[in-house]
Amino acid sequence: MDAAQEAQKREAFRQAVVNTLERRLFYIPSFKIYRGVAGLYDYAPPGCAVKANVLAFWRQHFVLEENMLEVDCPCVTPEVVLKASGHVEKFTDLMVKDEKTGTCYRADHLLKDYCKEKLEKDTNLSAEKTAELKHVLAMLDDFSAEELGAKIKGYGITAPDTKNALSDPYPFNLMFQTSIGPSGISPGYMRPETAQGIFVNFKDLYYYNGNKLPFAAAQIGQAFRNEISPRQGLLRVREFTLAEIEHFVDPDDKSHPKFSEVSKLEFLMFPREDQVSGRQARRIPIGEAVSQGIVNNETLGYFIGRVYLFLSQLGIDKDRLRFRQHLANEMAHYAADCWDAEIECSYGWIECVGIADRSAYDLRAHTDKSGVALVAQEKFSEPREVEKLIITPVKKELGLAFKGNQKMVVEALEAMGEKEAMGMKADLEVKGEAEFLVCTLDKVVTIKKNMVSISKEKKKEHQRVFTPSVIELSFGIGRIIYCLYEHSFYTRANKDGDEQLNVFRFPPLVAPIKCTVFPLVQNQQYEEVAKKIAKSLTAVGISYKIDITGTSIGKRYARTDELGVPLAITVDSTTSVTVRERDSKQQIRVNVDEVASLVKSVTDGVSTWNDILWKYPTHSS
Amino acid sequence: MDAAQEAQKREAFRQAVVNTLERRLFYIPSFKIYRGVAGLYDYAPPGCAVKANVLAFWRQHFVLEENMLEVDCPCVTPEVVLKASGHVEKFTDLMVKDEKTGTCYRADHLLKDYCKEKLEKDTNLSAEKTAELKHVLAMLDDFSAEELGAKIKGYGITAPDTKNALSDPYPFNLMFQTSIGPSGISPGYMRPETAQGIFVNFKDLYYYNGNKLPFAAAQIGQAFRNEISPRQGLLRVREFTLAEIEHFVDPDDKSHPKFSEVSKLEFLMFPREDQVSGRQARRIPIGEAVSQGIVNNETLGYFIGRVYLFLSQLGIDKDRLRFRQHLANEMAHYAADCWDAEIECSYGWIECVGIADRSAYDLRAHTDKSGVALVAQEKFSEPREVEKLIITPVKKELGLAFKGNQKMVVEALEAMGEKEAMGMKADLEVKGEAEFLVCTLDKVVTIKKNMVSISKEKKKEHQRVFTPSVIELSFGIGRIIYCLYEHSFYTRANKDGDEQLNVFRFPPLVAPIKCTVFPLVQNQQYEEVAKKIAKSLTAVGISYKIDITGTSIGKRYARTDELGVPLAITVDSTTSVTVRERDSKQQIRVNVDEVASLVKSVTDGVSTWNDILWKYPTHSS
C-alpha cells in the first residue's frame, strides 16, 4: 500500500469509529441545536460513563496506591498567578488574519498544510525543493513570527477559504480571559492547566505531609485553551479534563523506593538520540533506561513505568504506545528531562501524557512573584560543618573609587560565585589588584586590595533549605479516551455474513455499561425476573441496561456490542439465565441468584471470563 | 439566652469548625500566597476526599439507582444559549458603587445590614419603625432598582468602608464573560448552571432513551457566579460544583412508579400556607403532602423523598433539614411548584438543593430560539378522534380592511385560543361582526364575517406531540458539604479533662480517610505489619493514613478524630491488632489478616460497628 492508500484507509477507519461514537451518543458536538461551537464536545451517556471509569481508575492507580494528596482548585485564576507561571507572556500561538474577512488561522498550520500538500501532490518537485519542504516541516515548532511570516510570503500562501492575502503572523494568547468581580480591574483567566493550583499550595501541602519529602499532589479538573481554529475532532478541543500529578522531591536524591516494582517492565521507548539519528522506537526495560542514563532518574523512570501500566490496563494497545523523549529544542531550558506517552491513532502519534522533571522552576517562579518562600528543609541529625564564602566590600574605599557607581560594584562583588571570588582573592594577594566585570555597568573595573576582603569560614549548620524539584505528570483524559475508542473498535460479520457489525472491546474496567438484561421473549414472568436481576445489580453498584423491547435477540446483542457492554444476561427461564461474553460470544448458564455477584466479580477484575467459564455449563443457542 | 447571646454562640461554634477545617487543610483560600481572591476556595486533601465521596454517593443514589443518563458538557457556553435561557438578561444582582472609590456593593446587602443593625442595636426604636424595618427585610427580594435606591437614600446609607455617598443601584450580570475563538466577535460565558447543557441535548437524549418518557438526565460539574462581594465564607462562592438532574415527564401524567417506596417517609416540611400564616415547619409524610395537594405531583414528591434520604444518609441532622416551598413571589411564573431543601447551620437556614417543577419552560425557550423542536411524541395504539379548531383568516379581505396592519391581525387571529375563537364565531354568526383586541397593535379592531372562517373539525390523530415538563433538582455540593461539616463537628474532653478535642463524626461513607494505621511503638517488626496492612487496604480500595512517627497514641487518636477517620488500627502485636472506633472509642482485637476486609465491610456500609463489635474480643487499653 502506498502512502495515499494508507491515509485513505486510516480515514475510513476513523469515519467508522466516529460514526459509531456519534450514533450511539458517546459524544455530541456541544450546543448542536445552535450549530455548535468548534472545539467543544459533550460527553453523552456512554462517553460520560467511560470518562468516569477512567478517572476512577486513575484515582485508584495513582492517588490511592501512591498515597498522593488530592486537591481541587478553581478554574478561574487571577492574572498574577499566570504571570508568575509565564502563561500570560508565553502561552500563545502565532496567528494570521485574512486581510479582507478577518478570519483567523494558525500560521504554522497553514505552512504545514502547504508543505504536506506540495510533498504529496506535486510530482515535479526537485530533490532540492523536497528537502527544503521537509526541513520546513521539521523546523515548524522552532520558527519565530518573522521566520514564519517570511515563509508564508515566500511560498505565496493565501487564506484557504478566500485566497485573500494574509496578515503577518502575531502571537495570540490562548487563555480565555475574563474579569473577576464587578469592578473590571481584576483580570482573570480560565486556567490552561491544573498544575498552578498545586504549586501555589506547596507550603500547606508540605506541612500536611509532616514537612517531609518526597510527596505528590494530584488534581483532576477542567482546563481551557482558546484554540485559534480547532481541528482533529476530539483531540484538539477548547475545554478538556486534565489529571495532573506534581511529585516534589529532593533534587539531591531522586531515587524511588518502589522503583524495583517497575524496573523489569519493557515497552517501546524512543530516546532523543534514536530520533536524531533516524532510528525507530525500541523496547527497553525501564530499569535499563535509568541505569544507562537514558532516563534522567529513578523517580522519573518509576512514573514512566506506572503510566505504562495505567494505559495498558485501560486497554491501550501496547504496540501502539511509546514513550518519546523531548528533543533539545522542545524542552524548556530549566527541565532536566521530558518524556511524552504517545499513542498511535488514525491521526498519527498523539501526545497523551507528559512526564517531565521540571527541576525547581515552578516553585522558584512563585517564590519570586509572591515573596513567600516555597522551600523544604532537611534537618540534620547533628549539625554539619560547612565552608562558607564571606565577601565583605569596603564601602568607603569603593565609594571614593567609583562614586555614583559604587552601589553596582558592591552588588556585583557580593554576587560573585565561589570560583570567581577565590580567583580575585588570589589576584589581590599576588598583584594587589584585579580586573572585574560589572555586568550592570557593562564595563570592567579595577578592584584594589583595600576595597574588598574575601575569606572562607567554617560554620555549623543545623539544616539545609532548598527548593524541591518537581516531577510532573499531565494526563489529557479526553485524548486517552479517544485513542482508547480507536484501539477498542473492530467489526465482524453477522450470522448471515451479509452485514458488518461494530464492536468496542472495552475491558470491563472501562465499559460504560457492565451488562445488559433482556427477557428472551416478551412475557410477564421473564420481565419480573429481569427486574429482580436489575435490582440486585443496582445493589452491588453495577451499571446495566434493561431492554424489554421485543427486538430480536441478535439485534439486541449487536446493540450492546456497539456500546462495548462486556456481558449480556438473557432471561430464558425463571430459575437460570444465559450469560454471554461480548468478544468470544461464548455463553454459560447461571442461576438467577448468582448472576449479579458473577457480573460483579468479572467487572471488578476479581475474575476473568476465562476463570469462570469452566465453572458453569456452557450454553449453545 | 437572648438573640445576641445566641448569635455569639453560633459565631463561636462556626469559628471552632472553620479553624479546624483550615488547620487540617479541608480547604485553603485559593491563591493564598497571592493574598487570595474573595469567593474562591480550594478543596485540599481531606476536603477533596469528602467531596469525591459525596459525589460518588450521589452517582450511586441518583444516577445508578434511577438509571439516569449522565452527561458532561463544557463550562464555556456561547451567548445564544444563555440568551434563550434568560441568563443574559436576568441573571443579575443590583449593585451600588462608592461614588469616590468605585468599590462595589450589593445594594440589598447594604439595606439588609442597615435594618438588622438598627433592629438589634437601636434600643429607642418605635414600634412603628420596628415594623417598618421588619417589613423591608421581608420584602428585600421583591424591590426594584428604584425602590432599593429610594430606601438606601431615605435611610442615608453610605459606603461601609469609607462613608462616601453611593450611586443609584443598577443591575450587574453575574456571569463571567469571555470571548470564544480569536476573532473577538463570539461572546461566551462560563455557565451559571449545568442545566442548559442538558436542555439543548433533549432531542438526542430522548432518542437514546428509545423515544420514551419519563427519563432523567444528570450532570455534575463546575458552575460560576461572579458575585459582587462574596460573603458567608464557603457558602457564597464564585465557582462551585453543581449536581443537577432534569427529569422529563409527560405533563398529563406526573405519577411515579416508585412513589410508594418513599411515601411513608416523614420529615420537616414548610408549605407556603404555613409560612404566610407564621406557623412553623412540621413533619408530614410525603405521601400525605402529595395526596393533600401540598406538593403538586407524585414525581416531585418522589424526588423530595429521595433528596431527604440522600442528605440524611450523608450525615445531615434530620432535625435541621426542612423542605420549604417557594412563596408565590419567589417562584417563576412558569413554575408549577418549587421546594428547597434547606439545612440549618450557623448562618441560618441555607438553601442547598432546589427541587422545582419548571413545566415546559426551558424546552420551549430553546425550541423558540434554535428552531429545533424539543418535543416528545406519544404514539396512540389506535388512532384517536380529536376535535381541532380551524381558524382560516381570509387574507384578501383583511388586506383591504387593515392594509399595513394586515399581518399583525392575521397572526392575532391564528393565535386565538379555543374559548376566544368560539366566542368570535358566535358573534360573527349573530351580529355579523366582532370586536377583537390585537395586542401587537395595542388596539381593538372590528372583524367582519367575511374576514375569517372558524370551525371545529373532527380529525383522526395517530400521535400526540407535546413539550415535556421538566422536574429539576439542583444540588449545591459545596453548601451541602459545609453544612455537613457543621453537623458532624463536636468537641469532647481529653483523658485528663484539661483540653477540649475536636471530632468530626462523619459516617464512613463520607469520611475522607477510612482508617489510620499506627505501630504502637517504633520498632521494625510492627512497622512491617503496618505496611502489610496498608498494602491490603490499598488492594481493597480503602484510603488510609499510616503514621509511624513516635507520637503518643493519644495524640495520634486526637489527630485522626479531627479528620473524622472512623477507625484506627493500632499494631501492638505481629498477629493481631487493636481496632478503635472514633465516636464510642470502643476497641476490639482483630487478626492481622482479617483487618482489611473488616474495615471494608464497615466503610462500604455492609456492616455497622455494632454489627461487628460482638464478634471480636473487646480490648481495653
Side-chain angles (χ1 to χ4, degrees):
Chain A
M1 238 183 324
D2 67 11
Q5 280 173 313
E6 283 269 16
Q8 218 169 7
K9 200 183 140 197
R10 274 200 307 272
E11 181 68 31
F13 175 76
R14 185 195 306 149
Q15 270 316 317
V17 177
V18 163
N19 286 346
T20 309
L21 292 173
E22 285 213 28
R23 192 161 36 75
R24 300 314 305 272
L25 239 59
F26 279 82
Y27 74 90
I28 304 175
S30 302
F31 317 112
K32 196 170 108 178
I33 61 170
Y34 294 102
R35 283 179 296 161
V37 174
L40 293 179
Y41 295 91
D42 298 341
Y43 289 82
C48 192
V50 167
K51 184 179 169 188
N53 294 337
V54 168
L55 290 177
F57 179 55
W58 192 87
R59 267 210 180 93
Q60 168 70 25
H61 187 81
F62 291 105
V63 179
L64 201 69
E65 288 207 16
E66 310 284 346
N67 250 306
M68 293 176 177
L69 307 183
E70 191 178 347
V71 300
D72 179 6
C73 308
C75 301
V76 174
T77 306
E79 187 173 53
V80 62
V81 172
L82 296 160
K83 273 194 168 160
S85 68
H87 286 93
V88 171
E89 199 190 337
K90 287 180 191 157
F91 191 64
T92 57
D93 274 342
L94 291 168
M95 176 161 95
V96 290
K97 267 194 178 175
D98 180 320
E99 286 197 336
K100 286 198 182 132
T101 66
T103 306
C104 306
Y105 302 95
R106 256 183 76 167
D108 58 342
H109 282 177
L110 295 189
L111 183 55
K112 186 176 171 186
D113 292 348
Y114 172 84
C115 295
K116 279 198 161 175
E117 198 174 310
K118 270 278 177 204
L119 286 168
E120 274 174 25
K121 301 200 178 148
D122 189 341
T123 47
N124 298 320
L125 273 188
S126 67
E128 200 185 348
K129 193 76 188 172
T130 301
E132 179 191 317
L133 293 173
K134 283 191 172 165
H135 180 70
V136 168
L137 284 176
M139 294 295 292
L140 217 50
D141 290 343
D142 287 338
F143 285 139
S144 67
E146 291 68 32
E147 288 165 328
L148 261 181
K151 293 280 173 211
I152 286 172
K153 284 240 157 26
Y155 292 138
I157 299 173
T158 55
D161 303 316
T162 61
K163 308 295 163 209
N164 292 333
L166 292 165
S167 73
D168 286 332
Y170 60 97
F172 171 72
N173 193 298
L174 298 174
M175 290 192 292
F176 284 97
Q177 194 176 355
T178 190
S179 186
I180 303 175
S183 67
I185 55 169
S186 303
Y189 299 91
M190 303 312 297
R191 63 181 175 193
E193 59 176 26
T194 71
Q196 302 305 322
I198 295 176
F199 296 136
V200 299
N201 282 328
F202 172 77
K203 223 179 137 181
D204 281 330
L205 294 171
Y206 179 59
Y207 165 78
Y208 187 80
N209 200 51
N211 291 326
K212 282 204 190 67
L213 285 185
F215 73 90
Q219 179 166 201
I220 297 171
Q222 293 303 89
F224 302 82
R225 195 181 156 109
N226 195 9
E227 293 288 347
I228 292 169
S229 52
R231 312 203 288 188
Q232 295 193 313
L234 294 167
L235 290 181
R236 188 161 289 282
V237 292
R238 284 177 165 151
E239 182 176 337
F240 42 94
T241 300
L242 284 182
E244 296 192 299
I245 293 166
E246 310 296 331
H247 179 90
F248 298 101
V249 60
D250 185 337
D252 293 348
D253 177 12
K254 294 183 180 173
S255 66
H256 196 288
K258 297 205 281 179
F259 185 65
S260 62
E261 292 178 19
V262 302
S263 64
K264 299 270 181 314
L265 291 174
E266 198 177 312
F267 40 78
L268 283 177
M269 298 198 76
F270 202 10
R272 189 179 301 140
E273 304 308 317
D274 291 1
Q275 296 168 55
V276 171
S277 51
R279 287 192 291 266
Q280 298 289 308
R282 58 194 162 104
R283 278 172 213 287
I284 313 175
I286 186 69
E288 265 179 41
V290 170
S291 64
Q292 290 174 11
I294 299 172
V295 168
N296 184 279
N297 58 71
E298 262 191 10
T299 298
L300 196 60
Y302 176 72
F303 282 117
I304 290 175
R306 293 290 294 168
V307 170
Y308 168 77
L309 289 174
F310 174 73
L311 293 174
S312 50
Q313 282 172 41
L314 278 186
I316 293 294
D317 180 352
K318 294 170 192 181
D319 295 328
R320 303 177 71 192
L321 164 63
R322 72 181 184 195
F323 290 83
R324 190 182 70 80
Q325 192 172 30
H326 278 204
L327 296 173
N329 66 359
E330 289 176 274
M331 216 159 66
H333 64 92
Y334 48 78
D337 196 6
C338 295
W339 293 78
D340 286 340
E342 294 185 334
I343 304 175
E344 196 192 22
C345 72
S346 65
Y347 291 104
W349 286 95
I350 301 298
E351 174 198 342
C352 289
V353 187
I355 309 158
D357 183 335
R358 299 174 55 85
S359 76
Y361 178 77
D362 308 280
L363 294 181
R364 286 223 177 103
H366 286 295
T367 298
D368 290 348
K369 190 87 180 175
S370 69
V372 176
L374 304 178
V375 293
Q377 296 89 32
E378 183 195 5
K379 294 224 159 47
F380 300 141
S381 48
E382 44 194 77
R384 288 188 195 168
E385 196 158 86
V386 289
E387 265 197 345
K388 276 240 152 176
L389 179 70
I390 311 283
I391 301 171
T392 316
V394 182
K395 293 198 181 155
K396 197 182 136 198
E397 298 295 331
L398 290 163
L400 288 171
F402 301 108
K403 312 241 156 54
N405 291 337
Q406 180 213 12
K407 189 165 164 275
M408 265 81 93
V409 178
V410 167
E411 284 173 359
L413 285 169
E414 286 174 341
M416 279 190 294
E418 178 159 339
K419 203 174 150 197
E420 192 182 8
M422 295 321 285
M424 181 181 281
K425 184 181 165 76
D427 280 352
L428 294 178
E429 274 162 18
V430 175
K431 297 189 268 176
E433 59 178 48
E435 302 291 275
F436 180 52
L437 173 68
V438 181
C439 292
T440 47
L441 295 176
D442 199 18
K443 72 179 183 193
V444 173
V445 301
T446 303
I447 301 292
K448 301 239 166 83
K449 208 175 169 174
N450 61 352
M451 293 178 187
V452 64
S453 90
I454 297 170
S455 62
K456 274 194 174 174
E457 279 179 24
K458 293 204 170 164
K459 262 185 83 173
K460 293 223 165 182
E461 289 205 335
H462 298 264
Q463 65 173 8
R464 177 180 146 240
V465 176
F466 61 96
T467 304
S469 281
V470 60
I471 290 176
E472 175 176 279
L473 286 84
S474 181
F475 295 72
I477 297 298
R479 289 182 167 198
I480 293 171
I481 290 174
Y482 177 75
C483 292
L484 190 57
Y485 289 151
E486 281 205 7
H487 288 200
S488 304
F489 184 82
Y490 66 98
T491 57
R492 61 183 173 198
N494 67 348
K495 246 186 179 171
D496 301 337
D498 57 359
E499 202 186 335
Q500 285 293 308
L501 301 175
N502 305 315
V503 189
F504 282 108
R505 68 164 84 76
F506 298 129
L509 177 71
V510 166
I513 297 165
K514 306 305 180 194
C515 75
T516 40
V517 186
F518 314 138
L520 180 64
V521 290
Q522 276 185 305
N523 78 37
Q524 210 192 330
Q525 266 190 321
Y526 287 2
E527 229 172 79
E528 266 163 29
V529 174
K531 281 183 183 162
K532 189 181 154 195
I533 292 171
K535 218 165 176 177
S536 60
L537 289 167
T538 299
V540 295
I542 296 293
S543 63
Y544 64 88
K545 202 173 170 141
I546 189 164
D547 185 345
I548 52 170
T549 63
T551 322
S552 80
I553 201 78
K555 269 214 175 122
R556 285 190 277 183
Y557 282 147
R559 273 189 203 161
T560 70
D561 291 345
E562 251 189 0
L563 286 172
V565 181
L567 299 174
I569 301 168
T570 302
V571 180
D572 45 9
S573 110
T574 54
T575 52
S576 70
V577 295
T578 303
V579 178
R580 174 228 193 217
E581 196 271 336
R582 178 192 59 212
D583 298 299
S584 65
K585 300 199 248 177
Q586 287 162 333
Q587 302 185 21
I588 55 173
R589 292 208 59 80
V590 182
N591 278 339
V592 167
D593 298 336
E594 274 175 76
V595 72
S597 69
L598 176 141
V599 171
K600 189 173 166 63
S601 86
V602 173
T603 57
D604 281 2
V606 176
S607 319
T608 65
W609 177 256
N610 285 329
D611 290 340
I612 58 166
L613 190 54
W614 63 270
K615 290 191 199 159
Y616 294 89
T618 54
H619 176 89
S620 48
S621 55
Chain B
M1 237 184 325
D2 66 13
Q5 281 173 314
E6 284 268 16
Q8 218 168 8
K9 201 183 138 198
R10 276 200 306 273
E11 182 68 31
F13 175 77
R14 184 195 307 149
Q15 270 316 317
V17 177
V18 164
N19 286 345
T20 309
L21 291 173
E22 284 212 30
R23 192 161 36 76
R24 299 317 302 273
L25 240 58
F26 279 81
Y27 75 90
I28 303 174
S30 301
F31 316 112
K32 195 170 110 178
I33 61 171
Y34 293 102
R35 282 177 296 160
V37 173
L40 294 179
Y41 295 90
D42 298 341
Y43 289 81
C48 192
V50 167
K51 184 178 169 188
N53 294 337
V54 168
L55 290 178
F57 179 55
W58 192 88
R59 268 209 179 92
Q60 168 71 25
H61 186 80
F62 291 105
V63 179
L64 202 68
E65 289 208 13
E66 311 282 346
N67 249 305
M68 293 176 177
L69 307 182
E70 191 176 345
V71 300
D72 179 6
C73 309
C75 301
V76 173
T77 306
E79 188 173 53
V80 62
V81 173
L82 296 160
K83 273 194 168 161
S85 69
H87 285 92
V88 171
E89 199 191 336
K90 288 181 189 155
F91 192 63
T92 56
D93 274 342
L94 291 167
M95 176 161 96
V96 289
K97 266 194 180 176
D98 180 318
E99 287 196 335
K100 286 198 183 134
T101 66
T103 306
C104 304
Y105 303 94
R106 256 183 74 167
D108 59 341
H109 281 178
L110 294 189
L111 183 56
K112 185 175 169 184
D113 292 348
Y114 172 85
C115 295
K116 279 199 162 176
E117 198 174 311
K118 269 281 177 202
L119 285 169
E120 274 174 24
K121 302 202 178 148
D122 189 339
T123 47
N124 299 322
L125 274 188
S126 65
E128 200 185 348
K129 193 76 188 171
T130 302
E132 179 192 316
L133 294 173
K134 283 190 173 166
H135 180 72
V136 168
L137 285 176
M139 296 294 294
L140 216 50
D141 290 343
D142 288 338
F143 286 139
S144 67
E146 291 67 33
E147 288 166 329
L148 261 180
K151 293 280 172 211
I152 286 172
K153 284 240 156 27
Y155 292 138
I157 299 172
T158 54
D161 303 315
T162 62
K163 307 297 161 207
N164 291 333
L166 292 166
S167 73
D168 287 332
Y170 60 98
F172 171 72
N173 194 297
L174 298 174
M175 291 192 292
F176 284 98
Q177 194 176 356
T178 189
S179 187
I180 304 174
S183 68
I185 56 168
S186 303
Y189 299 90
M190 303 312 297
R191 63 179 174 194
E193 59 177 26
T194 71
Q196 302 306 323
I198 295 176
F199 296 135
V200 300
N201 283 327
F202 171 77
K203 223 179 137 180
D204 281 331
L205 295 171
Y206 180 58
Y207 165 78
Y208 186 81
N209 200 51
N211 292 326
K212 281 205 191 66
L213 285 185
F215 73 90
Q219 179 165 201
I220 297 171
Q222 293 303 89
F224 303 82
R225 194 181 157 108
N226 195 8
E227 293 287 348
I228 292 168
S229 52
R231 313 203 287 187
Q232 295 193 313
L234 294 167
L235 290 182
R236 188 161 287 283
V237 293
R238 284 177 165 151
E239 183 177 336
F240 43 93
T241 301
L242 284 183
E244 295 192 300
I245 294 166
E246 310 297 330
H247 179 89
F248 298 101
V249 60
D250 185 336
D252 293 347
D253 178 12
K254 294 184 180 171
S255 65
H256 197 288
K258 296 206 281 178
F259 185 65
S260 63
E261 290 178 20
V262 302
S263 64
K264 300 270 181 312
L265 291 175
E266 197 177 311
F267 40 78
L268 284 178
M269 298 198 77
F270 202 11
R272 189 180 300 141
E273 305 308 317
D274 291 1
Q275 296 169 54
V276 171
S277 51
R279 288 192 290 268
Q280 298 289 307
R282 59 197 160 102
R283 277 173 214 287
I284 313 176
I286 185 69
E288 267 178 41
V290 170
S291 63
Q292 291 174 10
I294 299 172
V295 168
N296 184 279
N297 58 70
E298 263 191 8
T299 299
L300 196 60
Y302 177 71
F303 282 117
I304 290 175
R306 292 290 294 167
V307 170
Y308 168 77
L309 289 174
F310 174 73
L311 293 174
S312 51
Q313 283 171 41
L314 277 186
I316 293 295
D317 181 350
K318 293 170 193 180
D319 296 328
R320 301 177 73 192
L321 164 64
R322 72 182 183 194
F323 289 83
R324 190 182 70 79
Q325 192 173 29
H326 278 205
L327 296 173
N329 66 359
E330 288 176 275
M331 215 158 68
H333 63 92
Y334 48 78
D337 196 6
C338 295
W339 293 78
D340 286 340
E342 294 185 333
I343 304 175
E344 196 190 21
C345 74
S346 65
Y347 290 105
W349 287 95
I350 300 299
E351 173 197 343
C352 290
V353 187
I355 309 158
D357 182 336
R358 298 173 56 83
S359 75
Y361 178 76
D362 307 280
L363 293 182
R364 286 222 177 104
H366 285 295
T367 297
D368 290 349
K369 191 86 180 175
S370 69
V372 175
L374 304 179
V375 293
Q377 296 89 31
E378 183 196 3
K379 293 224 159 50
F380 301 141
S381 47
E382 44 194 76
R384 287 187 197 169
E385 196 158 87
V386 289
E387 266 196 344
K388 274 241 150 174
L389 179 69
I390 311 283
I391 300 171
T392 317
V394 182
K395 292 198 182 156
K396 197 180 136 200
E397 299 294 331
L398 291 164
L400 288 171
F402 300 109
K403 314 237 155 57
N405 292 337
Q406 180 211 11
K407 191 166 162 271
M408 265 82 93
V409 179
V410 167
E411 283 173 0
L413 285 169
E414 286 174 340
M416 279 190 294
E418 179 162 337
K419 205 175 147 195
E420 193 181 6
M422 295 321 284
M424 180 182 281
K425 184 183 167 71
D427 280 351
L428 294 179
E429 274 161 19
V430 175
K431 297 188 267 174
E433 59 176 49
E435 301 290 277
F436 180 53
L437 173 67
V438 181
C439 293
T440 46
L441 296 175
D442 200 17
K443 72 179 182 193
V444 173
V445 301
T446 303
I447 300 292
K448 300 241 166 82
K449 207 173 171 178
N450 61 351
M451 293 177 186
V452 63
S453 90
I454 297 170
S455 62
K456 272 194 174 174
E457 279 178 24
K458 292 205 170 162
K459 263 185 81 173
K460 291 223 165 182
E461 290 205 333
H462 298 264
Q463 64 172 9
R464 176 179 146 239
V465 177
F466 60 96
T467 305
S469 282
V470 60
I471 290 176
E472 175 175 278
L473 286 84
S474 180
F475 294 73
I477 297 298
R479 287 182 168 199
I480 294 171
I481 290 173
Y482 178 76
C483 292
L484 190 58
Y485 289 152
E486 281 205 6
H487 289 201
S488 305
F489 184 82
Y490 66 98
T491 57
R492 61 183 173 200
N494 67 349
K495 245 186 181 169
D496 301 338
D498 57 359
E499 202 186 336
Q500 285 293 309
L501 302 175
N502 306 315
V503 189
F504 282 109
R505 65 164 87 76
F506 298 130
L509 176 72
V510 166
I513 296 163
K514 306 306 181 193
C515 75
T516 39
V517 186
F518 313 138
L520 180 64
V521 291
Q522 277 184 306
N523 79 37
Q524 209 193 330
Q525 266 190 319
Y526 287 1
E527 228 172 79
E528 267 163 27
V529 174
K531 280 182 183 163
K532 189 181 155 195
I533 293 172
K535 220 168 176 176
S536 60
L537 289 167
T538 298
V540 294
I542 296 291
S543 64
Y544 64 88
K545 202 172 171 143
I546 190 164
D547 185 345
I548 52 171
T549 62
T551 321
S552 80
I553 201 79
K555 271 218 173 117
R556 285 190 277 183
Y557 282 146
R559 273 188 202 162
T560 70
D561 291 345
E562 249 188 2
L563 286 172
V565 182
L567 300 174
I569 300 168
T570 302
V571 179
D572 45 9
S573 112
T574 54
T575 52
S576 69
V577 295
T578 302
V579 178
R580 174 230 193 215
E581 195 273 337
R582 177 194 59 211
D583 299 299
S584 66
K585 300 198 250 178
Q586 287 162 334
Q587 302 186 21
I588 55 175
R589 292 209 60 79
V590 181
N591 279 339
V592 167
D593 298 336
E594 276 175 75
V595 72
S597 67
L598 176 141
V599 170
K600 188 174 168 61
S601 85
V602 172
T603 56
D604 281 2
V606 176
S607 319
T608 65
W609 177 255
N610 285 329
D611 291 339
I612 58 166
L613 189 55
W614 63 270
K615 291 190 198 159
Y616 294 89
T618 54
H619 176 88
S620 48
S621 57

